[in-house]
Amino acid sequence: MKYLVVIGDGMADNPVEALGGKTPLEYADIPTIDSLAARGTVGSVVNCPKPLPAGSETAILSIFGCDPLKHFSGRSPMEAAAIGLRLVPGDAAFRCNLVALEPGDQPYEEKRILSHSAGSIAGQDALDVVAALNSDPEFSAALRAADMYIDPSPSFRPLAVKHHCDPSGVCFIPPHDHLGEVIGPLLPSGKDAALAKVFADLMRLANRVLEHHPVTEKRRAEGKLGANGIWFWAAGTAMQLPDFREEYGCGGAVISAVPLCHGIGVLRGLEMVEVEGATGEIDTNFEGKLEATWASLQKYDFVCLHLEAPDECTHNGDLKGKVQAIEWLDSRLVKPLTERLDAAHMDYRLLLLSDHKTLTATRGHDGDPVPYLLYDSRIDSGRGGVYTEKAGENGPFVAHGCELLHLLFER
Ligand SMILES: [Zn+2]
């Protein structure tokens, strides 16, 4: 028996006027997923328990069978695990997003956040931004004084580590939930005002260094958003998760483009499979992910395939892209994968779901219940119907997302 988890990140949504009042899942043409839904079970699940943040950092923990209320200590330690960045006790890790702020020399606090990803900056462009900061005498001195470093990454998602730091007294705000808003009220704040100021000062200084820096101007000249700022958020301290094999009796692999999903897998003792050209965006290497999933299924009984594109499209305000990402999840991943499993006469149980809602209306996350689909290749439930938010609401309700794996493994 093979156990497969397929996550369409941020697929679930609320009805959208531009789609005639349908949600993207209702609007998208997903015949394979719908046929699995017709023969399986569709219900609704809470993956982001209150009062924790609504996002993949809690939702994917739930999906991997770990109660976020018990295990969540912040997002960035999970991402650190994916890049082999070892946190020692006393270290705190942070996301240091490369962001695009309103250009110009107006006061920093008055600028708006244009993009949480600096227009999906990646590759050398992203490495150049961190290099520009690290080579700036004033910025690097400030970083040293703060006992911090920024780990360069070829994406908009570098991590920062601060030694001897307890971040619990500072409130950090995720940039993707405040696109288009003025920065001032969103800067780190909280009862540990001195620590909050360290981070806010670094963010302000980074903007000063980057605003007219050649690496920023180069992107602007290419018609792209310049990464003229950094944004600290997702603070967390070192964490441990229970071993997956001890719990479910098998090893497994995680295929994803994003460090968060990989990191949760690594902390669970699962193999992290990287796919060349997997970008976390609509242009990701679908076929590469398909082959990696198929290869992992030969090696392990448990495989998780994660597709970030629907979430990123929503954050980017790209509704057409979101619908396309959902349709490609169906036609380029789920369809060929289930066809191969069927052709190989492999029995399998599949859990397919959106980890959390990402709302077209706000371009931000939402912690409402999301629909899940559970399918067993040996059984036709005769349920009929499709995979949508509404179908989920009419099906079995799972109050704790961390119990989904038990359902998948029939525990
Ligand atoms: Zn997201």
Side-chain angles (χ1 to χ4, degrees):
M1 177 62 72
K2 299 291 178 186
Y3 300 91
L4 190 59
V5 172
V6 177
I7 304 172
D9 205 295
M11 284 193 297
D13 204 328
N14 290 338
V16 178
E17 214 170 296
L19 300 180
K22 292 184 173 179
T23 69
L25 270 178
E26 287 170 339
Y27 185 85
D29 184 27
I30 46 171
T32 303
I33 292 173
D34 282 341
S35 80
L36 298 171
R39 288 176 288 150
T41 305
V42 176
S44 130
V45 61
V46 178
N47 285 330
C48 307
K50 289 189 175 88
L52 294 178
S56 295
E57 65 268 50
T58 51
I60 296 181
L61 258 186
S62 288
I63 295 169
F64 276 79
C66 301
D67 184 355
L69 290 169
K70 192 167 144 201
H71 294 285
F72 182 72
S73 74
R75 174 184 184 119
S76 48
M78 301 187 264
E79 296 186 332
I83 54 170
L85 219 158
R86 291 244 165 263
L87 298 181
V88 299
D91 281 354
F94 305 83
R95 256 305 247 312
C96 174
N97 274 43
L98 307 182
V99 298
L101 309 171
E102 244 177 323
D105 295 315
Q106 64 274 44
Y108 177 69
E109 280 75 3
E110 290 174 16
K111 295 187 173 191
R112 289 169 195 278
I113 310 178
L114 300 182
S115 166
H116 67 291
S117 64
S120 305
I121 191 170
Q124 195 58 46
D125 279 9
L127 293 167
D128 288 348
V129 175
V130 176
L133 291 173
N134 282 333
S135 63
D136 181 82
E138 197 185 349
F139 188 87
S140 61
L143 211 51
R144 257 196 319 279
D147 205 8
M148 275 177 81
Y149 67 90
I150 300 174
D151 190 62
S153 152
S155 78
F156 69 83
R157 309 178 172 93
L159 290 177
V161 174
K162 181 166 166 54
H163 304 300
H164 314 293
C165 172
D166 171 8
S168 60
V170 180
C171 174
F172 294 92
I173 292 179
H176 49 256
D177 287 340
H178 298 275
L179 298 171
E181 294 179 30
V182 168
I183 297 170
L186 305 172
L187 291 173
S189 61
K191 63 178 192 293
D192 193 342
L195 185 60
K197 186 172 181 301
V198 169
F199 289 98
D201 285 351
L202 283 169
M203 288 159 72
R204 190 177 294 109
L205 183 54
N207 178 235
R208 210 179 329 137
V209 172
L210 294 171
E211 183 60 61
H212 301 292
H213 196 282
V215 302
T216 316
E217 298 296 1
K218 174 182 159 273
R219 276 180 66 83
R220 287 174 181 154
E222 291 165 356
K224 299 173 184 162
L225 283 170
N228 61 346
I230 57 172
W231 198 272
F232 294 111
W233 65 288
T237 49
M239 75 188 287
Q240 268 191 323
L241 295 178
D243 188 71
F244 188 91
R245 187 182 288 274
E246 269 174 34
E247 218 173 331
Y248 294 105
C250 65
V254 181
I255 291 98
S256 174
V258 303
L260 172 70
C261 190
H262 271 152
I264 295 173
V266 167
L267 289 165
R268 274 295 240 160
L270 301 168
E271 187 192 338
M272 155 180 151
V273 177
E274 288 181 284
V275 174
E276 205 173 319
T279 57
E281 314 265 345
I282 187 80
D283 66 353
T284 198
N285 179 0
F286 283 86
E287 283 62 40
K289 292 182 88 164
L290 169 69
E291 294 309 328
T293 306
W294 184 243
S296 298
L297 277 168
Q298 314 309 311
K299 198 168 161 192
Y300 296 110
D301 287 341
F302 173 79
V303 176
C304 173
L305 168 62
H306 170 260
L307 183 72
E308 175 76 356
D311 183 64
E312 277 306 316
C313 287
T314 324
H315 291 312
N316 294 335
D318 178 7
L319 178 58
K320 209 172 136 223
K322 179 171 192 173
V323 171
Q324 182 68 83
I326 295 171
E327 293 185 341
W328 280 344
L329 172 68
D330 185 86
S331 63
R332 295 169 73 178
L333 293 171
V334 178
K335 180 173 189 275
L337 206 52
T338 52
E339 280 175 356
R340 286 186 193 188
L341 283 160
D342 291 335
H345 302 290
M346 277 187 194
D347 286 336
Y348 64 97
R349 286 174 63 78
L350 173 133
L351 170 68
L352 180 144
L353 74 173
S354 181
D355 54 346
H356 54 72
K357 283 187 177 180
T358 308
L359 303 183
T360 296
T362 62
R363 292 166 64 184
H365 296 164
D366 181 274
D368 277 358
V370 288
Y372 69 87
L373 156 60
L374 201 56
Y375 171 77
D376 187 320
S377 64
R378 300 163 302 178
I379 304 162
D380 183 349
S381 69
R383 169 189 162 272
V386 292
Y387 175 73
T388 60
E389 293 82 356
K390 253 192 218 104
E393 287 162 21
N394 294 328
F397 179 64
V398 177
H400 306 284
C402 57
E403 287 163 10
L404 284 173
L405 264 196
H406 287 351
L407 294 176
L408 181 69
F409 279 88
E410 297 181 276
R411 294 293 159 87

